[in-house]
Amino acid sequence: MLITLEGIDGSGKSTLYKGLTERLADLNIVFTREPGCPHIGDAVRRAISENSDPLVEAALFVADHAVHLATVIRPALIDGKIVISDRYSDSRFAYQQISLKGYHKDPKKWLTDVHKGWSITPDLTFLLVIPPKEAIRRVSGRGETEHFEQKEFLEEVQKNYLERVKEAPSRFVLIDATQTPETILDFVEKSIREKTEAK
């Protein structure tokens, strides 16, 4: 089973991920994240920090995804393990679909085509939803922000996430990210345990 955690920057996704690694330590789970490949992931982070060519950035994300699938996710799923990933392909459709505007005539089609036939669709995705204004307030305390971390940009990102939900409603579980981290963690932990017990 492949479970993914998604949400805009500042939604509390990383806090949830960390909590799950502690709460679900008794289960046979592979915890991972994207970007995840050490070498390509470093290149992705450099591209983000340098705010370089969006096409280069998107291609690096896709390459990282391919390596992640080949080296971590597919082997774990073949072994019958549960995989929980902090960010996955939905992030690219939410973020790169915006950053590629003006660089590609149809970013969504390009992203769809480039993933078709080899990527794996998650079995379950928890999407943390939060007002972008609140998300920006949260990330402002981290120091220097990335070009993704702007209110207008994150508003568009969240719209794209919600469009993904409309396209595959049975896969997504929407969570009000303004709740306390403990409340969110309790709910997600319980949901995952129920899913794994039902297998």
Side-chain angles (χ1 to χ4, degrees):
M1 177 182 287
L2 173 58
I3 300 170
T4 57
L5 309 178
E6 296 285 358
I8 64 174
D9 297 82
S11 64
K13 181 183 51 56
S14 297
T15 300
L16 171 61
Y17 177 81
K18 183 177 183 298
L20 290 174
T21 64
E22 298 166 355
R23 290 276 192 95
L24 300 176
D26 59 305
L27 300 180
N28 189 24
I29 293 178
V30 173
F31 286 94
T32 186
R33 55 167 38 100
E34 289 195 2
C37 172
H39 303 301
I40 300 176
D42 289 344
V44 169
R45 292 182 185 93
R46 281 198 305 275
I48 292 171
S49 65
E50 294 167 4
N51 196 10
S52 61
D53 187 314
L55 283 170
V56 172
E57 192 175 276
L60 286 169
F61 271 114
V62 173
D64 177 84
H65 181 62
V67 175
H68 191 212
L69 280 170
T71 61
V72 178
I73 293 178
R74 286 188 193 279
L77 294 177
I78 289 169
D79 285 345
K81 295 179 180 177
I82 300 162
V83 179
I84 296 180
S85 183
D86 177 1
R87 293 207 182 282
Y88 191 69
S89 56
D90 289 307
S91 284
R92 269 179 302 289
F93 284 88
Y95 283 81
Q96 268 64 54
Q97 198 170 314
I98 301 166
S99 60
L100 285 172
K101 284 181 181 177
Y103 292 84
H104 194 283
K105 64 180 181 180
D106 192 341
K108 184 177 181 180
K109 183 179 185 305
W110 182 81
L111 288 164
T112 301
D113 290 346
V114 82
H115 287 87
K116 191 178 293 182
W118 60 273
S119 187
I120 298 173
T121 302
D123 298 292
L124 180 64
T125 299
F126 292 96
L127 175 62
L128 295 167
V129 181
I130 189 171
K133 185 177 179 180
E134 171 62 16
I136 290 297
R137 186 191 66 76
R138 292 182 180 185
V139 301
S140 63
R142 298 178 185 173
E144 187 176 347
T145 59
E146 296 171 347
H147 64 277
F148 290 138
E149 296 169 345
Q150 306 296 327
K151 179 174 174 290
E152 293 76 14
F153 189 92
L154 292 182
E155 285 173 348
E156 291 299 312
V157 171
Q158 190 148 271
K159 284 179 185 176
N160 286 341
Y161 270 129
L162 295 175
E163 281 298 316
R164 301 284 289 169
V165 174
K166 289 179 183 178
E167 292 167 3
S170 62
R171 173 164 68 90
F172 286 89
V173 176
L174 271 62
I175 297 173
D176 176 1
T178 63
Q179 300 176 93
T180 67
E182 194 75 9
T183 300
I184 294 170
L185 179 56
D186 287 344
F187 172 77
V188 175
E189 178 196 1
K190 181 182 177 184
S191 299
I192 291 174
R193 288 189 182 280
E194 287 174 351
K195 282 284 185 182
T196 56
E197 289 168 5
K199 282 188 68 178

